Amino acid sequence: MNDIMQTIAVYALPVLFAITLHEAAHAYAAKYFGDSTAFLAGRMSMNPLKHIDLLGTIVIPVALYIATDGRFVFGYAKPVPVDFGNLRNPKKQMAWVALAGPASNFVMAFGWMIVSLLLGAGGLQEPFFWEMAKAGVLVNILMFSFNLVPIPPLDGGRIVTSLLPHKLAYQFARIELYGFFIVLALIYFKILNFWVVPVAVLTETFLHLILSPLSFLLN
């Protein structure tokens, strides 16, 4: 139980930041391109309480973590309401609104990597902060990779819908009715690993490459 509580303490802040900025980024992008639905609903906010779903963000992930001894965790935040019909160019700008969430996670993973480098350069030995920085990188890279899975209603699915020709886009978008259950099945049978793991590895490698000059200077 002590290990579980320590893990929750380490991951709490990175997860809250990852979820909050991800959802807020969708809202900001939607407002920028002409849809004020999320803004009027109070979701264009950096307040985590606006985006946390009690069941999906807290109860289910913690229960799964405890029940499976950390082998399986799944959760979700409140989806940001977006009326794509209000966008100035719905077909094209849908992709940018969808991409805003994963892009925020990419930036946050980059930020947590910088924190790790600065902790090393500063000679800080406190393991809690090291673990938190590592958790921040891991959580955001996984959120980035997972949300780009090309199945609606995930962000990757909406990006694909935006890129497809109108007729194919309409047919593909109909998957969204069953998308949640499809994703759950792919997670359960570990099929989603064939997407998430390679994308996560490539993303982490790319981030390390970008940060290599700073890493060299600090070391």
Side-chain angles (χ1 to χ4, degrees), residues 188-202:
Y188 181 79
F189 291 108
K190 299 183 179 180
I191 297 172
L192 212 60
N193 290 351
F194 292 102
W195 170 279
V196 173
V197 173
V199 173
V201 170
L202 287 172

Side-chain angles (χ1 to χ4, degrees), residues 67-120:
T68 64
D69 197 24
R71 292 189 299 273
F72 178 72
V73 178
F74 177 78
Y76 53 88
K78 291 179 185 176
V80 167
V82 178
D83 187 342
F84 293 105
N86 289 337
L87 302 178
R88 289 187 292 274
N89 186 337
K91 183 73 165 56
K92 178 181 178 182
Q93 293 168 349
M94 177 193 300
W96 293 110
V97 174
L99 186 60
S104 72
N105 294 122
F106 182 89
V107 172
M108 279 185 280
F110 181 78
W112 281 111
M113 280 190 174
I114 291 177
V115 170
S116 294
L117 289 175
L118 293 177
L119 288 174

